[in-house]
Amino acid sequence: MRDETIENFLERLAARVPAPGGGAAAALHAAQGAALVGMVARYSTGEKYAQHRETVERVIAESDELRATALRLAEDDAAAFTAVTDAYKLPKATDEEASARSAAIAAALIGAGRPPAEVIAVAARVVDLAAELLPIGNPNVVSDVAAATEAARAAATTARVNVEINLGGIKDEQARAELTASADAVDGIAARAEHVTDAVRKEIAK
């Protein structure tokens, strides 16, 4: 996925195939948000921003790491969803086969829930970094701070749906609790993103 063109990815996304799907799209939203944060930070370097150098350098490093993580999660999500479809194709003619199939499906559903849960965590950090940059970053690219938070919000809300769709088939209580907690965090992430975007719009309107 990381080496294909945007056009090719979108063609696969639009195709009648199991993956990539919404989970991969959510991860790429997060990756774009992280990239935009990195761009704003890089425009906020030099003598004019010397007093914030440590913060800006830290944001650059973390946003680059988040971007790489999100891209990996896009690939992980596609692989995990394929594992779910493969598990459902397993034979179930005998009791042993049916039992093995059920176990494989349960494990695959947990595996499919984890990449979007991690995407939510990435999105949360992107919003945090954008909020940190807003008061100290280059005002010429302030609109991109909002763009980053809106991309992160889309990542989080989309990923939440992809967590929730897998919860119904997950019986493991610990896994359910972990994934539910990730999904429950999204409203807070979206609210923080909206706060940053509102602040940017007020700044632009001055």
Side-chain angles (χ1 to χ4, degrees):
M1 185 179 295
R2 69 182 60 240
D3 294 323
E4 66 182 311
T5 65
I6 294 173
E7 182 179 10
N8 185 58
F9 171 76
L10 292 176
E11 285 179 356
R12 291 202 299 125
L13 190 62
R16 187 173 174 171
V17 294
L28 289 180
H29 284 317
Q32 290 180 102
L36 285 163
V37 167
M39 184 264 280
V40 172
R42 286 182 170 89
Y43 269 111
S44 306
T45 58
E47 188 174 331
K48 184 177 179 180
Y49 304 95
Q51 62 179 319
H52 303 298
R53 184 180 64 185
E54 289 186 10
T55 298
V56 169
E57 288 179 350
R58 174 175 52 76
V59 170
I60 289 172
E62 185 172 357
S63 64
D64 286 352
E65 184 177 339
L66 290 169
R67 174 163 48 92
T69 298
L71 187 56
R72 173 183 60 79
L73 290 171
E75 296 172 333
D76 289 351
D77 185 88
F81 191 80
T82 299
V84 172
T85 59
D86 288 346
Y88 274 105
K89 292 176 184 176
L90 291 173
K92 53 181 179 178
T94 67
D95 288 344
E96 287 186 358
E97 287 180 346
S99 179
R101 177 177 177 274
S102 294
I105 290 171
L109 288 173
I110 293 173
R114 284 183 173 142
E118 291 184 57
V119 168
I120 291 170
V122 170
R125 283 303 299 153
V126 171
V127 173
D128 290 344
L129 293 178
E132 194 173 1
L133 270 183
L134 179 58
I136 65 172
N138 188 330
N140 293 322
V141 287
V142 69
S143 63
D144 292 297
V145 175
T149 59
E150 290 305 311
R153 176 171 17 190
T157 55
T158 304
R160 173 171 58 187
V161 176
N162 283 276
V163 169
E164 292 172 341
I165 192 96
N166 292 296
L167 281 175
I170 296 174
K171 308 303 180 186
D172 183 284
E173 291 185 7
Q174 181 177 347
R176 280 185 63 85
E178 291 173 357
L179 294 174
T180 299
S182 294
D184 288 346
V186 171
D187 283 341
I189 297 167
R192 296 201 306 276
E194 184 175 9
H195 178 76
V196 173
T197 298
D198 286 347
V200 169
R201 295 182 68 203
K202 288 176 182 176
E203 187 67 26
I204 292 171
K206 285 182 180 178

